[in-house]
Amino acid sequence: MKNKSLKNKLKLNELTLGSWLTIGHPAIAEILCNYPFDWLTIDIEHNLFDPSQIRSLISIIQSKEKAALVRVSKNEEVVIKHVLDAGADGVIVPMVNSKEDAQKAVEFVYYPPFGKRGVGLSRAQNYGDGFESYKEWLNDHVVIVAQIEHIDGIRNLKDIISTPGIDAIIVGPYDLSGSLGYPGEYHREEVIEALKYLEETCVENKFPMGYHVVPPDSDLFSKTKEKGYKFIALSTDFLFLGNSLKRFMESI
């Protein structure tokens, strides 16, 4: 059955660690699951996965007692419905820039009366034999993470985090800096001020905030944790692979 602890940890604002899956081979998911992550995210926004790969990866992650999240390609009804029907424990929704965006994401995840999701019978509902139990699980345990990756999301942050059904937010650092005209230039004053406002707002409201620490850098992780981030993504599968290879080649 699905991992039931991640939503509870978010409610308690406890630290959870995850990583980003961009390579569709099942061995990659199995390798990452050997390490103490709470969750793994299958990133279908920037990577090519076919539906059978997504379903397989979700199954593998959950078999290792980790939460399987999907960063969907956009805040759209069908794509969110597809990954949830495949059994995902939750979704990370990109470019949530307003309360209306947040409400749309919630509506696409939940069935009526709380949402507007259409009913399908697939893996999540045990192929029709577990619809009632899935409805209970959905109401108690599905996770919705709003990705704040545009300055408009910063400006509307209080409205977004007060939207019922949103469990956490996560910063998209590259796109956030890009929305200010400086992609990847985190040292810019405008970027620093935007992140400072996000951090102060979430800490003040005791709302779980996340950050994607893209470089596999332990010092950067420590600094992120010290700022109060609780939902932290650690790098990506290909960067773990590439950096390990780079260090080895340099050593010889």
Side-chain angles (χ1 to χ4, degrees):
M1 192 57 183
K2 301 173 177 64
N3 184 296
K4 294 185 177 181
S5 64
L6 180 57
K7 192 180 186 86
N8 294 333
K9 288 181 178 179
L10 291 174
K11 285 181 178 178
L12 296 171
N13 212 5
E14 295 179 0
L15 176 66
T16 68
L17 302 179
S19 191
W20 236 240
L21 276 171
T22 69
I23 301 170
H25 197 284
I28 300 295
E30 290 180 319
I31 291 168
L32 287 177
C33 284
N34 287 333
Y35 295 89
F37 292 113
D38 299 282
W39 48 273
L40 293 176
T41 294
I42 304 161
D43 181 11
I44 68 172
E45 182 185 10
H46 292 293
N47 302 279
L48 295 174
F49 289 95
D50 64 47
S52 62
Q53 282 179 309
I54 297 169
R55 184 175 300 193
S56 174
L57 292 172
I58 290 170
S59 180
I60 288 168
I61 294 166
Q62 291 172 343
S63 75
K64 301 292 187 178
E65 299 184 344
K66 316 286 184 182
L69 306 180
V70 179
R71 202 258 291 266
V72 293
S73 53
K74 56 182 176 178
N75 190 2
E76 193 269 335
E77 179 180 8
V78 174
V79 68
I80 291 175
K81 178 167 54 179
H82 279 178
V83 300
L84 290 174
D85 285 346
D89 292 289
V91 289
I92 297 177
V93 182
M95 285 293 174
V96 176
N97 297 330
S98 65
K99 188 176 186 69
E100 290 72 27
D101 289 342
Q103 289 172 331
K104 276 175 53 179
V106 173
E107 289 173 353
F108 296 154
V109 167
Y110 285 96
Y111 297 125
F114 190 47
K116 297 180 179 179
R117 177 178 165 191
V119 175
L121 302 178
S122 189
R123 178 177 178 269
Q125 302 84 5
N126 199 21
Y127 304 98
D129 199 35
F131 180 64
E132 291 302 319
S133 62
Y134 178 71
K135 281 199 303 182
E136 292 180 16
W137 177 88
L138 188 74
N139 290 332
D140 294 335
H141 299 293
V142 74
V143 170
I144 306 174
V145 181
Q147 189 153 19
I148 307 300
E149 49 186 343
H150 193 280
I151 191 60
D152 288 343
I154 297 291
R155 294 177 180 133
N156 296 314
L157 184 63
K158 290 182 179 179
D159 288 337
I160 292 169
I161 66 174
S162 65
T163 302
I166 298 295
D167 298 292
I169 59 97
I170 185 169
V171 177
Y174 276 100
D175 283 333
L176 176 59
S177 58
S179 75
L180 290 163
Y182 310 108
E185 298 181 37
Y186 309 130
H187 63 281
R188 291 275 187 173
E189 183 178 349
E190 298 95 323
V191 181
I192 294 171
E193 287 300 315
L195 289 174
K196 183 179 178 182
Y197 173 78
L198 179 142
E199 292 157 5
E200 290 176 347
T201 300
C202 287
V203 170
E204 179 183 341
N205 288 276
K206 298 185 170 70
F207 192 83
M209 59 180 180
Y211 194 91
H212 193 171
V213 180
V214 178
D217 183 324
S218 59
D219 288 338
L220 183 55
F221 162 73
S222 296
K223 291 175 182 176
T224 302
K225 181 182 173 185
E226 287 169 4
K227 291 179 181 178
Y229 289 95
K230 300 293 187 179
F231 181 77
I232 302 179
L234 300 177
S235 199
T236 68
D237 47 12
F238 64 83
L239 280 175
F240 283 132
L241 175 63
N243 279 40
S244 178
L245 178 59
K246 180 182 178 182
R247 286 195 301 270
F248 174 73
M249 294 302 290
E250 287 175 347
S251 74
I252 63 171

